[in-house]
């Protein structure tokens, strides 16, 4: 049974594309057949983050409009055999996509892949709605700041009303992926902490990805962090999130600021002495 | 005498025309009554509270007792206000003898009136008069940013939070079993008696009967507390709950 996952957020720049690439790569690294679809027609980025920008011939719009066959447009990753990419068009806009066309592509992909990961564009308009329309579940990417949380809340409301599953009265599964989490700033109250975000959004937590230069470097090099630096904290967070997507029950450890921990340990020693 | 007459109040008489249902029983009467029963079974409330006139024109020559037929209709709860198409003496001695003969009064017209479509099997919904009006709305999930719940017929109860950027507009009171972070507008219909209740006050705006306030308007000590909000001397009054 293949799963269609939409990676969405409402707000731009919170890490949808990075998270799509990292989760997709992490799933593929465990042997699952994964395809990533870039729904951001006109502002495509997933090809860059995957390092496939110079291999794009046909794209999602070509397939939806019948100008190319699906296998012609799929780009297989050179590092992980079971990972593929269906890029977006950079020269078109979101109106080039139709609901029937997207459904056709997703149905065709369902026959070939275990996971179909739809990287949603920012916003709440047609592009974002088409990306979520036929999904089985959603990963809501949120940064621990009020504007991102409110936009995510808006998107969750749309997931519960505009997806085909929701319209059919079925439960729509949603998971929260908290990215760019800075434990030190959260501890100082400069950012929302995990508890605040969970209380507002009230959906299950899939993972917490710490704010990290590793993620940025990996994106710039066109290689998901789970491949580029698998030992980094961010890569481990994505790998664990991918396992949770597959149904594994793993405890989520809230990142703590190392200095603070050492400080607490010293403080304790002093008290005992 | 003239003084007596002036002591009596002046009598006012008004005329009004209204719709009555005209039933035209057909022979054989037992079969027609069975059809009526079936119809009443399908749409129980159809004849409720509606004046009924029985027209006997189709039963001319039929030898059944018209009073017995009226009695049978009366037993079914039909509210008979008159008869037509029957000679008066045939009802003499029965309890229906005094029912007005409406045909005479309309000048002997032969018109039976416009035919009305009866509710079909598909329209089995009970008559609106029998269904109590819905006076509250229960929402058992969080109201998300951008969502708007508008319910003018009564109270709205939300189990979960009302998010920042979400709004609820209620004819009556608003009850939020969770954090109130968005806008709550109460009393659109019921007016100043409506109240707003929440488990945790973090609202962007609250309003009762058109009197509104934002976070600047209330004491910060109420933030994140369980409160009720009501109108008091034309202003919003917030008080802690239990």
């Amino acid at each position: 049974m293949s799963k269609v996952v939409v990676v969405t957020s409402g707000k731009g720049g919170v890490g949808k594309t990075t998270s799509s690439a990292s989760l997709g790569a992490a799933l593929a690294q465990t042997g699952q057949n994964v395809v990533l679809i870039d729904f951001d027609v006109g502002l495509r980025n997933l090809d860059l983050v995957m390092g496939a920008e110079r291999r794009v011939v046909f794209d999602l719009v070509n397939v939806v409009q019948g100008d190319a066959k699906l296998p012609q447009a799929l780009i297989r990753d050179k590092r992980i055999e079971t990972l593929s990419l269906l890029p977006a068009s950079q020269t078109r806009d979101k109106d080039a996509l139709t609901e029937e066309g997207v459904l056709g592509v997703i149905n065709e992909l369902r026959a070939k892949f275990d996971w179909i990961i739809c990287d949603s564009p920012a916003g709440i308009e047609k592009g974002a709605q088409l990306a979520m329309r036929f999904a089985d579940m959603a990963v809501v990417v949120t940064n621990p700041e009020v504007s991102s949380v409110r936009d995510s809340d808006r998107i969750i409301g749309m997931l519960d009303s505009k997806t085909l599953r929701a319209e059919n009265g079925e439960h729509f599964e949603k998971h929260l992926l908290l990215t760019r989490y800075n434990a030190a700033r959260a501890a100082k109250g400069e950012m929302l902490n995990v508890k605040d975000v969970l209380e507002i959004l009230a959906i299950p937590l899939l993972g917490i990805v710490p704010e990290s230069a590793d993620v940025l470097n990996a994106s710039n090099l066109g290689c998901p962090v789970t491949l580029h630096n698998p030992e980094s904290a961010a890569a481990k967070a994505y790998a664990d999130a991918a396992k949770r997507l597959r149904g594994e029950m793993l405890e989520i450890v809230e990142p703590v600021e190392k200095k603070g921990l050492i400080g607490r340990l010293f403080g304790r020693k002093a008290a005992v002495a | 005498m003239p003084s007596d007459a002036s002591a009596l109040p002046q009598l006012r008489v008004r005329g009004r025309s209204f719709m009555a249902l005209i039933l035209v029983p057909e022979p054989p009467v037992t079969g027609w009554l069975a059809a009526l029963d079936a119809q009443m079974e399908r749409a129980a409330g159809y004849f409720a509270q509606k004046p009924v006139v029985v027209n006997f024109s189709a039963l001319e020559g039929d030898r059944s007792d018209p009073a017995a037929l009226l009695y049978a209709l009366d037993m079914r709860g039909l509210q008979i206000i008159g008869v037509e198409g029957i000679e008066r003496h045939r009802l003499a001695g029965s309890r229906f003898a005094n029912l007005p003969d409406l045909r005479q009064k309309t000048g002997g017209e032969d018109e039976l009136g416009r035919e009305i479509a009866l509710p079909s099997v598909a329209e089995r919904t009970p008559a609106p008069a029998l269904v109590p009006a819905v006076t509250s709305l229960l929402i058992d999930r969080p109201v998300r940013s951008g969502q708007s719940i508008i319910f003018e017929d009564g109270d709205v109860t939300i189990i979960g939070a009302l998010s920042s950027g979400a709004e609820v507009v209620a004819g009556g009171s608003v009850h939020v079993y969770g954090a109130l972070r968005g806008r709550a507008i109460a009393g659109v219909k019921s007016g100043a008696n409506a109240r707003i209740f929440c488990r945790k006050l973090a609202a962007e705006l609250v309003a009762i009967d058109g009197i509104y306030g934002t976070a600047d308007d209330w004491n910060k000590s109420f933030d994140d507390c369980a409160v009720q909000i009501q109108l008091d001397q034309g202003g919003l009054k917030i008080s802690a709950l239990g």
Side-chain angles (χ1 to χ4, degrees), chain A residues 15 18-19 22 49 180 209-221 223-225 228-229 232-235 238:
Chain A
T18 307
S19 296
S22 305
V49 173
R180 296 212 174 138
V209 182
E211 188 171 45
S212 147
D214 297 321
V215 178
L216 208 62
N217 289 343
S219 286
N220 286 334
L221 289 169
C223 182
V225 70
H228 182 252
N229 189 355
S232 65
Y238 277 121

Side-chain angles (χ1 to χ4, degrees), chain A residues 221-273:
Chain A
L221 289 169
C223 182
V225 70
T226 51
L227 277 175
H228 182 252
N229 189 355
E231 291 310 308
S232 65
K236 284 181 176 162
Y238 277 121
D240 283 355
K243 285 181 192 162
R244 290 187 196 102
L245 269 186
R246 293 188 63 188
E248 266 187 58
M249 302 294 281
L250 292 173
E251 204 195 335
I252 297 179
V253 184
E254 198 175 320
V256 284
E257 211 234 324
K258 287 181 187 110
K259 258 184 198 164
L261 185 64
I262 290 165
R264 277 205 296 280
L265 287 174
F266 278 130
R268 202 169 215 181
K269 249 182 191 170
V272 171

Side-chain angles (χ1 to χ4, degrees), chain B residues 25-36:
Chain B
E26 291 164 29
V29 171
T30 46
W32 183 84
L33 280 173
L36 177 70

Side-chain angles (χ1 to χ4, degrees), chain A residues 150 153-154 156 199 201, chain B residues 144-145 163-164 181 200:
Chain A
R150 182 155 83 181
D153 194 53
R154 177 90 165 97
I156 294 169
E199 195 198 308
L201 295 181
Chain B
R144 303 282 182 182
S145 186
S163 288
S164 163
R181 299 192 177 95
K200 193 171 168 181

